[in-house]
Amino acid sequence: MGTDHAHRHYGDEMLSVEEAQEYILRAMNVLESEEKPLSEAIGQVLAQDLVSKINIPPLTNSAMDGYAVRHEDITEASEHTPIYLQVIDEIAAGSLPLKQVTPGTASRIMTGAPIPNGADTVIPFEDTDEPQRTERRESVMVPGRVAIKYLSPKGSSVRPFGQDIKQGQLVYPAGTVIRSVDLGGLASIGLGQVPVVRRPIVSILSTGDELVLPGEKLDDGKIYDANGVGLIAAVRASGGIPNFVGIARDNVDDLNDKLDECLRGDLLITSAGVSKGDFDVVKDVLSARGEMGFWSVRMRPGKPLAFGMLYDDSGKAIPHLGLPGNPVSALVAFEIFARPSIRKMLGIPNVFRNTVDAVLQDSIENNDGRRVYARVIIRYQDGGFIASTTGNQGSNLLSSMLKSNGLAICPENQKFIRAGDQVQVHVTDWDRVEYVS
Ligand code: AMP
Ligand code: MG
């Protein structure tokens, strides 16, 4: 990103949300891949095509507890004229058949056990005299006779090898996001670990002389750092690994020290100190260490935004996103700019959230031509989504965020959305979407 271009947008001209997103996402690269144990790979993206080296199931096996038979031996079987077969073997799941099924014989077989040579059909216990045989306590039934009382079609209760997954089959293509349900499938083809795009390490730094870490004593004039922990959680929920560096005071030395700790990661997120009216210390330090743009984005909350590249001593650059200080602005700006960045680094194809249409219950006002992201509670009722704002939308009021599960969009050029109108909503928390019938 050219310094000139970025700086052109400082102050006077505003960037649209899309322009800002485009600049930022262009600077984000998909990270390298790593081998991850299966159980830890959830949520990460496959870096290579996964082809099965084996058939699943590996051997043709029984779908029932029963008797493996030659179908041609039993075509005359009926309840009143059962066919008697000599039981020659018993095959448990995990063991191999010892004997071939020859005319007039059968092997007792358990679910999942391999079908012996010669047999083509499994007759379930229920269709034999198995209960009486068990009553007669014929130990493990071998040797002895079994009566086949009901006929099944040829091939019944036999699961052919490769029925589920064939050797050489593409199980998942590169780019697949691994969900919990996928893990069983990957385990079944024998993978102990998988190649996935590594998770980005995201350094988080709060800035401001007024900030105190939660849990510590609050002196007059100070406030607790709400952004640090909020951003830690947001980074984790987006798939990144948070590295919370703490609070940097508004002075050159402390900022520089803290920035040194931040540059080891893949992305740096700071909050506060970047808006137009701020003392220039944060902006000066950042500008001295890289190419930073200090932007005004046509959105509310979250207008002031800094973005650029910071360099360490070796010349390595990492992208830096400077979020506004107000906690609501910081979280909304995170949602719009940082979450897609982290998802792009993770290799996730769709970096943005899907939106749903909802009917607005109250109204959203837009008086200065910016895109409004109103915090709403969305729920599903009477066949559709309805959204209500969470009250006073001041960007300093975290309470407006607490109950919300979505962000409703009022477009830049629209002065208000009235009750009863349709509104587009980014659902930020599906687990909190209530379904009312
Ligand atoms: P600034 O962007 O530095 O002008 O900060 C804007 C507002 O956000 C000020 O009222 C700050 O006190 C407040 N603020 C900045 N950082 C934090 C934080 N980490 N937690 C809570 N409030 C903050
Ligand atoms: Mg400040």
Side-chain angles (χ1 to χ4, degrees):
M1 163 163 330
T3 312
D4 292 351
H5 200 170
H7 276 287
R8 233 184 40 215
H9 296 279
Y10 177 45
D12 38 351
E13 191 190 335
M14 278 204 232
L15 285 172
S16 71
V17 171
E18 281 72 22
E19 283 173 314
Q21 281 174 329
E22 205 186 307
Y23 278 131
I24 291 167
L25 287 174
R26 207 183 299 145
M28 306 296 165
N29 298 310
V30 179
L31 299 177
E32 326 79 76
S33 58
E34 61 180 354
E35 289 285 329
K36 240 348 194 356
L38 210 47
S39 58
E40 291 168 26
I42 190 160
Q44 283 177 268
V45 172
L46 279 179
Q48 291 166 24
D49 288 350
L50 285 188
V51 172
S52 181
K53 293 199 173 82
I54 56 171
N55 286 301
I56 304 296
L59 296 174
T60 299
N61 67 91
S62 179
M64 299 287 281
D65 294 338
Y67 286 88
V69 303
R70 291 155 33 90
H71 191 261
E72 64 190 85
D73 286 357
I74 60 163
T75 50
E76 303 296 316
S78 72
E79 190 176 1
H80 299 296
T81 59
I83 302 282
Y84 287 89
L85 298 172
Q86 192 65 31
V87 180
I88 55 167
D89 194 6
E90 185 175 56
I91 315 159
S95 63
L96 289 173
L98 299 174
K99 302 222 171 90
Q100 176 160 354
V101 174
T102 52
T105 70
S107 289
R108 192 168 188 266
I109 193 167
M110 301 302 135
T111 304
I115 303 290
N117 285 338
D120 54 27
T121 303
V122 172
I123 304 298
F125 283 158
E126 305 85 283
D127 295 346
T128 71
D129 66 344
E130 177 72 14
Q132 296 92 297
R133 298 186 80 234
T134 309
E135 274 165 29
R136 293 204 302 273
R137 293 176 185 278
E138 291 185 31
S139 71
V140 281
M141 315 300 161
V142 183
R145 287 191 321 165
V146 62
I148 307 294
K149 300 202 287 189
Y150 302 98
L151 187 59
S152 302
K154 186 171 175 176
S156 303
S157 302
V158 172
R159 307 190 284 211
F161 74 90
Q163 182 188 39
D164 194 4
I165 295 168
K166 296 217 165 22
Q167 190 176 11
Q169 182 182 324
L170 177 64
V171 182
Y172 288 115
T176 302
V177 183
I178 300 176
R179 305 159 302 166
S180 53
V181 291
D182 300 320
L183 297 177
L186 296 176
S188 78
I189 63 171
L191 296 176
Q193 48 183 38
V194 280
V196 288
V197 178
R198 74 173 173 83
R199 292 187 183 280
I201 295 168
V202 182
S203 298
I204 298 162
L205 182 64
S206 302
T207 70
D209 282 337
E210 73 276 37
L211 301 179
V212 174
L213 284 175
E216 292 182 359
K217 182 170 170 292
L218 192 69
D219 289 329
D220 283 350
K222 308 292 183 188
I223 57 169
Y224 284 119
D225 169 19
N227 292 343
V229 71
L231 293 172
I232 290 172
V235 164
R236 204 170 274 142
S238 305
I241 301 170
N243 167 40
F244 182 55
V245 175
I247 299 168
R249 300 304 168 195
D250 291 324
N251 67 71
V252 175
D253 288 342
D254 196 38
L255 267 165
N256 272 319
D257 286 351
K258 296 289 183 339
L259 285 176
D260 287 338
E261 288 181 55
C262 294
L263 292 178
R264 286 184 306 233
D266 301 294
L267 171 65
L268 165 60
I269 296 179
T270 58
S271 63
V274 296
S275 58
K276 231 174 145 183
D278 276 317
F279 294 118
D280 282 338
V281 54
V282 177
K283 284 180 280 188
D284 286 348
V285 170
L286 291 171
S287 299
R289 296 185 64 142
E291 296 165 20
M292 292 298 301
F294 298 94
W295 299 342
S296 292
V297 184
R298 205 175 298 121
M299 64 187 275
R300 189 165 40 130
K303 181 170 88 168
L305 188 75
F307 181 72
M309 304 300 288
L310 294 186
Y311 297 95
D312 68 9
D313 294 339
S314 72
K316 187 194 145 215
I318 78 160
H320 167 229
L321 196 52
L323 306 179
N326 272 319
V328 175
S329 311
L331 289 177
V332 171
F334 181 96
E335 170 70 24
I336 304 301
F337 302 110
R339 183 178 183 272
S341 300
I342 292 170
R343 288 168 69 84
K344 181 166 178 197
M345 288 189 193
L346 277 163
I348 295 175
N350 53 332
V351 299
F352 299 115
R353 280 193 204 275
N354 297 323
T355 58
V356 299
D357 287 332
V359 177
L360 190 64
Q361 300 300 102
D362 43 7
S363 60
I364 300 173
E365 271 184 56
N366 183 5
N367 42 35
D368 56 4
R370 291 191 262 161
R371 183 180 308 174
V372 176
Y373 290 97
R375 276 75 70 205
V376 294
I377 303 166
I378 185 169
R379 63 179 179 279
Y380 191 86
Q381 193 172 319
D382 304 325
F385 289 103
I386 61 173
S388 322
T389 66
T390 53
N392 190 331
Q393 298 284 304
S395 63
N396 57 328
L397 300 174
L398 252 186
S399 51
S400 73
M401 202 98 193
L402 295 181
K403 295 164 283 176
S404 77
N405 56 14
L407 294 173
I409 298 164
C410 182
E412 293 82 335
N413 54 9
Q414 204 171 323
K415 285 227 157 22
F416 37 75
I417 303 180
R418 291 188 183 81
D421 287 350
Q422 288 272 328
V423 67
Q424 255 197 340
V425 181
H426 290 277
V427 182
T428 51
D429 193 350
W430 275 107
D431 288 344
R432 285 213 181 175
V433 177
E434 207 186 326
Y435 280 70
V436 188
S437 51

